[in-house]
Amino acid sequence: MKKFIACLLMLVLCVTVFAACSGNEEAPVTSDLDAAKDYLHAMYKDVAVVTPSDYKVTGVVTISGVTYEVTWTAEITSGDKEGVKIVVGDDKMVTVDVNEQAAEEIVYKLTATIKDADGKTATVSFDHSVPAFKVTAWEEYVNAEKGANLVIEGVVTGVMSKTNGNSNNALYVQDTNGGYYIYGIAADPVEEGIEVGMKIQATGKKDVYNGTLELVEASVKIVDSNKVNVEPVDFTERFQKAESLKDESLTKQQGMLVTLKGVEITGKGDNGYYKFKLGNFETYVRISSSMCPLTKEELKTFESIHEEHFGWTADVTGVICVYDGAFYLTPVSVNAFNPLNQVEKTDAEKVAYEKGQLKLPSNIASATSITLPQVGTNYDTVSIAWASKSEYAVVKDGKLVITMPKEDSTVKVTATVTCGDATETVEFEIKLIARQMSYEEIVDAAYNLPAGEALDGTYKLCGTIISIPSEYSEKYKNVTVVIQIGDKKDKPIECFRMEGEGVKDLKVGDKITVEGILKNYVNKDGKSKIEFDSKCKFIGKEEAAVVDQTKVVEAAYALAPGESMSEPSELKGVITKVNTEWNGEHNNITVTIVVNGMTDKPIVCFRLKGEGAKDLKVGDEITVFGTLMNYVNKEGKSKIEFDAGCQLVSVEKAG
């Protein structure tokens, strides 16, 4: 009897344990099933609780080479009992099909059941809800918080599609109150049959990127396939009355198709900026091959229309976009400038325009030559003559040749602009900032010497001995070696009859510092070589003299607003701020560095590229190469930075 009771108690215990495991806890499973469950949980634990549109989950999980089937179920606890359905696809993916127009909120638990080859299972669940359907008014879209779930409706004004060569699928849409930008759509709108003029509905999340309002992670469906002609809203008066290009009257309705009447087509900027002017402001139509409704062929036509009608007037039509808070347009038609009306300019107007286009740097910190325009950029009947009286700034063969003085100096260059009987002059004042050149710059300067000439003064170079043409002479106490500076294998420097304590023991591979006069020596056969002249001094091994970066930073901070250094520079500094995190799409990062402890003169490295840039952190010491400039934003604020595309040369990680 006791044995029976014991067996009965054991049976009750097993049933109790089984019942407990059949509730909120899973039954004991193999370690691989646990790993599969953990993996699935990690995949979907961060999926938003609110799911306003359909989404996909996987139908299989592979762990250590073993594949497990996953079955998904949805348990609806409130709301439409048919509001969430599971649709198994042929691609081993499962669609969670939600009722995007639910009259009331749907609350549901999504459960994944993982099964192994022996039939054992494990489950993992996720709590979700579908919001009650409501079309978001435009004003609500503008004011919604980032990440808010929204449903918008409107007529399509522009289509960006990977099918058409764009990098992303996107739409421009508008209603009677404003515009919408739907970015990064999973389904290609062209393949879905979406065309300009159709009414669509989009469900997604609100986002803001650099001032641009976006609807992202959106699903899109056609509400009405009958196409209507969207008339652009006339923004001419608003543009003329605006206080700036950042005026809210211009930018708030971003995404809306608008027209500005009677603009003047002006110059073209770099990277697809097609400028126009109306009243007090000049802005542009931006062409982007990656995110523009025009096809590649249409882009070519648009470009030729703009370039061939410089100075003409037209009505310009496009979608309002913003960059750094300022108004510009994206075209939705190849005829964004239309109709075109020719305006004849007087000789004086042509001269005034071309005079305004002339630019020379206000600060130069290294020897360089600058090509000078001889005729107008847009009016070839305008001639330009240049003159300078300074020995450091010489006009020769259409170029301004700059040589650097020993001390800071200021030169003046004059341009005389002429068309017919109209003539104007403009004078440019350039400050030549004498700074210590890098070793590489010194080598380049030496290799630019005419035959038989030498650089003024003495210079120091640090390099590695690659050969010893003449061994040490006990009689004359000197040696001749050849050194390589940095990676300049093609520009060796001979140190002819070098003197100094320790020269006797030098060998190939030693890194040394040498000081002397650099010249382009020509022998009796007419062959030349770049060398330190005889009696150059051996200063010591390793780097006995460090190039001072302070002058470079000071030269950059002396730049006038909007100007750049005439030649690229290299600086080494410590990262004090990561301004913009790594961008995986464009492979760049923006950081701020401080050089030589000059905390009052930080340098921004804008869109820095190169190996190791992805992992940069505050405290890392980096070397950067690029063009330094005084960048001015739309608000008139300036900062000293390496221009976009600067390169990361080396990294010394913090700690």
Side-chain angles (χ1 to χ4, degrees):
M1 183 70 177
K2 289 181 179 179
K3 185 175 181 180
F4 173 77
I5 292 172
C7 291
L8 181 62
L9 289 172
M10 182 67 72
L11 178 62
V12 170
L13 179 60
C14 290
V15 170
T16 303
V17 171
F18 177 78
C21 291
S22 299
N24 293 328
E25 299 293 328
E26 292 85 60
V29 295
T30 67
S31 59
D32 282 346
L33 275 176
D34 284 336
K37 182 183 75 171
D38 292 342
Y39 180 76
L40 207 61
H41 177 262
M43 283 181 68
Y44 297 114
K45 65 182 177 67
D46 293 326
V47 172
V49 173
V50 180
T51 58
S53 58
D54 300 349
Y55 60 99
K56 289 187 176 184
V57 290
T58 185
V60 294
V61 172
T62 301
I63 302 293
S64 300
V66 179
T67 300
Y68 300 86
E69 293 183 0
V70 182
T71 302
W72 294 87
T73 56
E75 178 189 358
I76 298 174
T77 56
S78 68
D80 181 4
K81 297 302 180 182
E82 301 294 323
V84 181
K85 297 178 181 179
I86 304 299
V87 181
V88 180
D90 297 331
D91 57 353
K92 297 183 180 180
M93 295 298 291
V94 176
T95 299
V96 182
D97 185 354
V98 305
N99 181 3
E100 295 165 349
Q101 297 193 8
E104 59 180 342
E105 182 185 44
I106 303 170
V107 178
Y108 68 101
K109 182 184 292 292
L110 184 70
T111 299
T113 301
I114 310 158
K115 184 178 180 180
D116 68 10
D118 297 328
K120 295 178 181 179
T121 61
T123 61
V124 59
S125 298
F126 307 91
D127 293 321
H128 293 299
S129 66
V130 181
F133 175 76
K134 176 190 174 185
V135 176
T136 307
W138 175 77
E139 198 72 49
E140 292 177 304
Y141 162 78
V142 172
N143 295 321
E145 294 290 329
K146 185 175 180 179
N149 295 288
L150 307 175
V151 179
I152 67 98
E153 284 187 357
V155 178
V156 177
T157 57
V159 177
M160 284 74 74
S161 159
K162 290 183 179 180
T163 299
N164 290 342
N166 297 122
S167 61
N168 277 286
N169 298 316
L171 295 172
Y172 286 117
V173 178
Q174 74 180 55
D175 58 23
T176 55
N177 296 311
Y180 308 90
Y181 180 42
I182 308 169
Y183 175 77
I185 307 168
D188 191 303
V190 170
E191 294 178 355
E192 296 294 309
I194 297 174
E195 299 179 27
V196 170
M198 291 181 177
K199 186 176 183 180
I200 62 97
Q201 184 182 99
T203 303
K205 297 181 184 299
K206 167 76 174 290
D207 197 9
V208 182
Y209 177 74
N210 198 22
T212 298
L213 308 184
E214 301 175 344
L215 193 69
V216 299
E217 299 177 23
S219 62
V220 180
K221 68 178 183 179
I222 298 172
V223 174
D224 188 348
S225 61
N226 294 312
K227 291 182 283 188
V228 298
N229 183 38
V230 180
E231 289 293 333
V233 179
D234 190 346
F235 259 47
T236 308
E237 187 175 352
R238 292 195 200 190
F239 194 90
Q240 291 172 323
K241 290 183 177 180
E243 294 183 1
S244 74
L245 290 174
K246 293 187 176 183
D247 198 310
E248 192 178 67
S249 66
L250 297 178
T251 61
K252 184 175 182 180
Q253 289 173 288
Q254 56 177 270
M256 176 171 272
L257 186 65
V258 301
T259 189
L260 301 174
K261 296 182 177 180
V263 306
E264 180 183 354
I265 299 174
T266 52
K268 176 188 172 184
D270 295 331
N271 301 321
Y273 292 83
Y274 295 84
K275 299 179 182 179
F276 63 87
K277 184 177 182 181
L278 179 64
N280 297 323
F281 302 119
E282 183 179 58
T283 186
Y284 51 86
V285 173
R286 173 77 196 280
I287 292 294
S288 167
S289 59
S290 60
M291 291 303 298
C292 177
L294 304 188
T295 66
K296 290 183 178 179
E297 288 303 314
E298 288 174 332
L299 292 175
K300 293 178 183 177
T301 303
F302 172 87
E303 183 177 35
S304 65
I305 289 173
H306 185 276
E307 290 184 351
E308 292 170 8
H309 295 88
F310 172 80
W312 290 34
T313 62
D315 298 344
V316 60
T317 300
V319 172
I320 299 174
C321 297
V322 297
Y323 178 74
D324 197 23
F327 173 101
Y328 75 94
L329 297 177
T330 290
V332 296
S333 165
V334 69
N335 294 311
F337 288 101
N338 186 59
L340 296 158
N341 302 296
Q342 187 172 12
V343 178
E344 186 59 39
K345 298 286 187 180
T346 65
D347 289 346
E349 288 174 326
K350 293 177 182 178
V351 166
Y353 176 83
E354 295 296 354
K355 174 186 172 184
Q357 301 303 301
L358 297 177
K359 291 181 180 179
L360 285 178
S362 62
N363 295 275
I364 294 178
S366 61
T368 186
S369 63
I370 301 169
T371 300
L372 301 171
Q374 306 299 303
V375 296
T377 56
N378 285 289
Y379 299 110
D380 57 12
T381 55
V382 175
S383 62
I384 307 168
W386 297 86
S388 170
K389 296 180 179 179
S390 171
E391 62 178 307
Y392 301 118
V394 177
V395 177
K396 183 179 180 181
D397 299 329
K399 293 184 177 181
L400 179 65
V401 180
I402 300 292
T403 55
M404 297 306 296
K406 289 293 185 182
E407 297 180 353
D408 291 356
S409 180
T410 299
V411 299
K412 294 181 179 180
V413 180
T414 302
T416 301
V417 187
T418 304
C419 182
D421 294 329
T423 297
E424 290 192 40
T425 60
V426 57
E427 186 177 74
F428 297 93
E429 192 170 274
I430 305 173
K431 184 176 181 181
L432 303 182
I433 302 171
R435 66 175 176 87
Q436 184 176 344
M437 293 190 290
S438 68
Y439 297 138
E440 288 79 4
E441 288 175 324
I442 295 171
V443 171
D444 289 340
Y447 266 82
N448 285 328
L449 284 169
E453 293 191 11
L455 294 178
D456 292 337
T458 61
Y459 289 86
K460 288 180 182 178
L461 287 177
C462 180
T464 302
I465 297 176
I466 57 175
S467 67
I468 302 178
S470 298
E471 297 290 342
Y472 177 74
S473 168
E474 285 286 356
K475 180 178 180 180
Y476 297 106
K477 309 296 183 186
N478 63 39
V479 66
T480 298
V481 302
V482 177
I483 60 175
Q484 177 184 314
I485 285 74
D487 59 358
K488 291 187 172 294
K489 295 180 181 179
D490 59 333
K491 294 182 178 179
I493 302 291
E494 182 170 294
C495 308
F496 184 63
R497 295 179 181 173
M498 180 173 64
E499 300 177 346
E501 185 178 352
V503 296
K504 178 179 180 179
D505 301 318
L506 293 178
K507 59 184 181 299
V508 171
D510 286 346
K511 189 175 183 181
I512 64 173
T513 299
V514 184
E515 182 176 15
I517 295 173
L518 283 163
K519 66 181 294 184
N520 186 342
Y521 171 75
V522 182
N523 66 17
K524 293 180 180 180
D525 296 329
K527 295 181 179 180
S528 67
K529 60 181 175 181
I530 305 303
E531 66 173 28
F532 275 114
D533 205 358
S534 61
K535 297 188 181 297
C536 54
K537 299 295 183 182
F538 169 60
I539 305 300
K541 287 190 176 182
E542 296 302 324
E543 188 169 12
V546 178
V547 175
D548 183 11
Q549 300 183 104
T550 302
K551 279 274 190 178
V552 181
V553 175
E554 290 175 346
Y557 267 83
L559 290 168
E563 291 193 338
S564 304
M565 299 277 273
S566 58
E567 295 290 331
S569 301
E570 185 173 284
L571 289 175
K572 185 176 184 179
V574 177
I575 297 176
T576 58
K577 179 181 179 182
V578 176
N579 307 60
T580 305
E581 297 289 345
W582 175 257
N583 184 316
E585 181 179 354
H586 300 292
N587 295 322
N588 60 45
I589 188 173
T590 299
V591 301
T592 297
I593 62 173
V594 166
V595 178
N596 288 359
M598 302 171 70
T599 55
D600 59 329
K601 291 181 172 65
I603 304 290
V604 176
C605 308
F606 184 60
R607 295 180 182 172
L608 176 67
K609 295 184 175 183
E611 185 177 352
K614 179 179 180 180
D615 302 316
L616 292 179
K617 306 291 183 186
V618 170
D620 292 347
E621 188 169 27
I622 63 174
T623 301
V624 181
F625 179 81
T627 300
L628 287 161
M629 69 178 299
N630 186 342
Y631 171 74
V632 182
N633 65 17
K634 300 289 185 180
E635 295 174 344
K637 295 181 180 179
S638 67
K639 59 183 175 182
I640 305 303
E641 65 175 33
F642 277 110
D643 203 0
C646 52
Q647 292 292 316
L648 178 64
V649 177
S650 64
V651 184
E652 295 177 26
K653 301 298 291 183

